[in-house]
Amino acid sequence: MRTIFTLLVLAFLINALPAQSTAYVISGGPTLGLQKWDNGGDRQVLFKYHVALALESVNNEDDKSAMFIQGGYHVKGSANRTRFLFNNGGAGTFKQEYLFNNLSLAIGAKQKFVTGAGGQNRYFYYGAIRTDYTLSTNIDELNNQFGGFTNIYAPQVAFMNRWMFGLSIGGGWQFPIADLIGGQITLSVSPDVTNQYRQPALPNVINPNNPGSPVTLGEQRIRNTAVEISFGLRLLHKVELVD
């Protein structure tokens, strides 16, 4: 809660800076979810989506730099896809997706560079710190999808972390559409510094599918990285100082 309060205060300060206008950026697009599992084998890319709303300062003098705060909804995770053959010669694909539906709040700084005739187009890069909160996951659904068979090596909701901390870096291009309306295209990479999931080593776990053979489960840690392409609409609230 303290982190959220701090970010909200910074958002207010962005909006209150003298000689500053404000851009409201509504964006969304595809998310490529990547996860590192310590003891889960190779994980494949999860193809999902995100939506976000950002509040960004606009310097009326030169618009070469900005501060911003952004909140969004991001579906993160990873997938397993296995291709199999039927006896009749056909083929199919079994897909298993681990989904973590996360709210994200980030604050950062952006550096802009003028490009193109007229000085209205700008390309930019940025960096931000970020905190995520997991609203929901499909771990329980995956664990129950095989009926009576129980996979004791699968992640369990009890060991999932709701709060994560991470970074976001990216770059893109912004361009005018009308007097107070613009567009924006951004490519970003957002690795988590903390784990989405952490299960300690568990000795003597009873296997419900073979109760006479207890097993030891090794420590399992899962960490997210999201690669996202965002298409945004910029709505400018322009502040003009009058002497």
Side-chain angles (χ1 to χ4, degrees):
M1 294 299 296
R2 185 178 300 175
T3 300
I4 294 176
F5 176 76
T6 301
L7 291 175
L8 291 175
V9 170
L10 288 172
F12 172 80
L13 293 177
I14 288 174
N15 202 39
L17 287 173
Q20 297 282 326
S21 297
T22 304
Y24 300 90
V25 185
I26 305 167
S27 61
T31 295
L32 278 65
L34 307 171
Q35 284 187 327
K36 176 177 172 54
W37 290 42
D38 285 352
N39 295 302
D42 293 333
R43 309 300 301 178
Q44 296 172 315
V45 176
L46 176 73
F47 298 98
K48 291 299 176 182
Y49 63 91
H50 68 279
V51 292
L53 174 64
L55 179 69
E56 180 183 315
S57 66
V58 179
N59 190 301
N60 292 338
E61 299 297 326
D62 55 27
D63 195 24
K64 291 183 178 179
S65 61
M67 294 184 64
F68 67 89
I69 184 169
Q70 178 175 284
Y73 175 80
H74 306 254
V75 183
K76 300 182 179 182
S78 60
N80 274 335
R81 300 177 186 88
T82 303
R83 188 170 177 81
F84 57 88
L85 300 176
F86 296 108
N87 292 333
N88 61 6
T93 301
F94 170 77
K95 181 173 66 175
Q96 186 181 60
E97 296 180 334
Y98 282 91
L99 306 179
F100 298 89
N101 304 310
N102 290 359
L103 291 180
S104 178
L105 190 62
I107 186 166
K110 179 184 290 187
Q111 186 70 44
K112 305 179 185 180
F113 304 88
V114 175
T115 181
Q120 297 299 308
N121 297 332
R122 285 172 168 77
Y123 68 90
F124 60 85
Y125 65 85
Y126 74 87
I129 58 174
R130 173 179 47 81
T131 183
D132 277 27
Y133 176 78
T134 300
L135 286 174
S136 62
T137 180
N138 69 336
I139 288 177
D140 280 342
E141 290 85 347
L142 290 178
N143 291 341
N144 295 329
Q145 69 181 351
F146 296 115
F149 176 78
T150 302
N151 183 3
I152 61 174
Y153 298 97
Q156 305 295 320
V157 172
F159 297 107
M160 181 185 72
N161 294 323
R162 291 282 181 179
W163 290 95
M164 282 76 61
F165 173 78
L167 305 172
S168 293
I169 57 173
W173 177 51
Q174 68 181 60
F175 51 90
I177 297 176
D179 185 30
L180 299 177
I181 302 174
Q184 180 172 297
I185 302 173
T186 306
L187 174 64
S188 63
V189 179
S190 300
D192 284 352
V193 176
T194 57
N195 296 308
Q196 174 77 76
Y197 181 92
R198 184 166 187 175
Q199 171 196 297
L202 302 174
N204 299 317
V205 175
I206 296 176
N207 186 346
N209 305 297
N210 188 4
S213 300
V215 298
T216 295
L217 303 181
E219 182 182 17
Q220 176 65 282
R221 292 178 295 179
I222 300 174
R223 186 173 298 174
N224 293 320
T225 297
V227 179
E228 296 177 327
I229 301 175
S230 301
F231 303 93
L233 184 66
R234 297 175 57 87
L235 306 176
L236 180 63
H237 175 67
K238 196 168 185 178
V239 176
E240 296 182 354
L241 300 180
V242 179
D243 294 332

